[in-house]
Amino acid sequence: MSDKKKIYKPKPISGFPEWLPEYRAVEQAWLDKIRAVFESYGYASIETPSVEELDVLTAKGEDVDKEIYVLERLQADPDEKKSARLALHFDQTVPLARYVAQHFAELTFPFKRYQMQKVWRGERPQMGRMREFYQCDIDVINVDKLPIHFDAEVAAVVYEALESIDIGRVQLRISNRKILLGLMEALGIEDPVPVTRFIDKLEKLGAKEIKHILIGEVGLTPEQTDAILDLAGQQDLSKIKPQNEMMAEGLEELSFVMDQLKHLPVHGARADLSIVRGLDYYTGTVYETQLLDVPEFTGSVCSGGRYDDLAGSYINKHLPGVGISIGFTRLFDVLRQANKIQPGPKSPAQVLVVLPSEERRTVAAEAARNLRERGMNVELYHAPQKIGKQMGYAEKKSIPFVWFPPFEDGQDHEVKNMENGEQTKADPKSWSA
RNA sequence: GCGAUCGUAGCUCAGCUGGUAGAGCCCUCGGUUGUGAUCCGAGUGGUCGCGGGUUCAAGUCCCGUCGGUCGCCCCA
């Protein structure tokens, strides 16, 4: 062995966040609250593996491949089958589809499930964009036909979940793709994809710029462009004249959903026809969510929509669904960086029991045990160091109470409130904060 | 993947037109005997991202490379 050992200087891996205990405590509390709201509406928890077969993940065929992380052994078998390659899932909707197809016979429909897991995307990290992050999904899947009121329910559920974690005002922006797609069909636009992609950027770039692009780059006529921009900017659904069946259907659905969300605060849900969600598999209702009190971040913290046929790639059944996903880590990190999160304690302990000396360890340990038996989180200090040092430890870990077992036989236990400095005699079998 | 910008102690940073490194925080110890936060003192800690070049001399200039951050693409 050489005298100088090699030190690998630790550094964060970009896009793979980790928090200190005082923030992890908050993160856990948030997850618990969201879970409670999901369950209050009868959504059941499932967890799927971190990996799926690559073929399953790419079955939808869209250009998600570039963000998929593939899993392989360092020394892979040369003749390992390529078709069975595993990859980390990039969302929870595709695994859900596979799950539902696989367990179809054992599930009861409508299947309402929530899932809070990490997902991975191989993209360049940015503010609010990670390569590893939690998503909290809820979805409802049914056979053949899924009532439209679920489109309102999932929105209401996530709104309530977000409300429960005290993050300021949020706003759901809701649209229905049938409206814009219907209009484009009526206008004779053959390829709606590039149009929807730019309409999605309407708020960011502005109507003037989008008009310029749609005419100049996409090749629409000024008339087509005006018709589309008029629609995308229209706030009042009753002022829209449906040009065909598809538009009429979309309008009816969206009106119904908005009507069902009337119980939310005024800012809570808004119809916004510029929301189209790029080139996703969504076919009807689509959602995005803005943090109204963090204007510096304009991205969506919670998105989703309805899909006509969720699992068609995996099973010969017609399974429509609607779902929405909280971008949990994005939400957490954006608020953390905006200084809107009050960090929790550095330790879950409520009481630190002082260890006066090795001889008194038994007495101290018993006091700790008595307190724990009555539900408290209690840490026994690890070494008989100077009392001031032990208290400094409690101070630094924000442990609110320090317990003094008797230093000599016959003395009383005492407990000190670290916030106000008060110290009183106490019995470990009956004391409570 | 493309563009811009940055890279000095564990953290946040200073170091002017080149002369072989500093502050604050953190950490450890101390300011005597069983009581924290403040204050004071001392100490640990860096091959200045890495490699090459210019120069008597480079953290400081030049080139390359790697990494971070931001923007674009895309999205939670």
Side-chain angles (χ1 to χ4, degrees), chain A residues 13-216:
Chain A
I13 302 174
S14 177
F16 290 77
E18 62 184 7
W19 317 127
L20 293 171
E22 55 268 37
Y23 282 99
R24 172 61 175 167
V26 176
E27 186 180 44
Q28 285 286 74
W30 283 19
L31 287 169
D32 288 346
K33 287 179 178 171
I34 291 170
R35 170 188 302 277
V37 173
F38 287 175
E39 295 194 346
S40 78
Y41 281 81
Y43 289 75
S45 173
I46 68 166
E47 180 165 288
T48 63
S50 300
V51 292
E52 295 284 344
E53 287 186 9
L54 192 52
D55 290 344
V56 169
L57 290 183
T58 54
K60 287 281 175 189
E62 292 178 11
D63 62 347
V64 286
D65 1 352
K66 65 169 188 257
E67 43 184 57
I68 294 179
Y69 283 112
V70 173
L71 191 74
E72 58 185 33
R73 288 191 300 149
L74 199 50
Q75 305 199 344
D77 236 335
D79 51 24
E80 214 164 87
K81 283 191 302 228
K82 272 232 157 67
S83 60
R85 281 167 76 204
L86 300 179
L88 293 166
H89 56 226
F90 54 85
D91 73 2
Q92 294 177 138
T93 306
V94 171
L96 171 66
R98 192 227 80 222
Y99 182 95
V100 169
Q102 192 169 321
H103 302 285
F104 182 77
E106 299 144 291
L107 298 174
T108 303
F109 294 90
F111 180 51
K112 301 171 74 171
R113 83 87 177 81
Y114 75 92
Q115 210 169 334
M116 307 197 298
Q117 290 182 235
K118 281 183 171 172
V119 306
W120 293 267
R121 291 184 193 173
E123 288 262 47
R124 245 208 155 78
Q126 259 172 52
M127 164 73 152
R129 202 173 72 183
M130 335 288 175
R131 298 200 277 207
E132 175 181 75
F133 56 98
Y134 279 106
Q135 285 195 153
C136 306
D137 281 35
I138 55 169
D139 290 81
V140 187
I141 316 294
N142 203 16
V143 184
D144 292 331
K145 213 166 159 41
L146 180 70
I148 185 72
H149 81 262
F150 279 120
D151 295 49
E153 178 173 294
V154 293
V157 174
V158 293
Y159 187 87
E160 197 176 311
L162 293 173
E163 213 174 22
S164 77
I165 54 176
D166 189 28
I167 53 173
R169 293 170 305 140
V170 297
Q171 177 171 69
L172 283 163
R173 295 187 181 165
I174 306 173
S175 184
N176 190 305
R177 298 192 87 192
K178 289 175 189 169
I179 301 171
L180 190 69
L181 291 174
L183 176 67
M184 281 194 270
E185 192 183 275
L187 293 170
I189 296 168
E190 283 179 19
D191 184 7
V193 172
V195 182
T196 58
R197 199 161 53 219
F198 287 114
I199 290 301
D200 224 27
K201 297 186 198 309
L202 185 57
E203 189 172 5
K204 188 171 178 181
L205 297 179
K208 206 181 260 177
E209 179 66 18
I210 294 296
K211 181 171 182 175
H212 190 73
I213 292 171
L214 288 181
I215 296 171

Side-chain angles (χ1 to χ4, degrees), chain A residues 398-415:
Chain A
S398 50
I399 300 172
F401 293 95
V402 171
W403 191 274
F404 297 93
F407 282 55
E408 284 166 38
D409 289 333
Q411 292 182 328
D412 289 311
H413 291 264
E414 292 183 13
V415 64

Side-chain angles (χ1 to χ4, degrees), chain A residues 6 112 206 275 321 364:
Chain A
K6 172 79 179 167
K112 301 171 74 171
I275 306 290

Side-chain angles (χ1 to χ4, degrees), chain A residues 159 169-173 267-270 288-292:
Chain A
Y159 187 87
R169 293 170 305 140
V170 297
Q171 177 171 69
L172 283 163
R173 295 187 181 165
H267 67 262
R270 204 183 88 191
E288 286 194 358
T289 311
Q290 311 291 313
L291 294 171
L292 296 182

Side-chain angles (χ1 to χ4, degrees), chain A residues 355-365 380-385 390:
Chain A
L355 180 64
S357 63
E358 278 306 335
E359 293 72 51
R360 306 302 287 174
R361 184 182 284 276
T362 309
V363 178
L380 173 60
Y381 195 75
H382 55 275
Q385 293 173 329
Q390 301 196 35

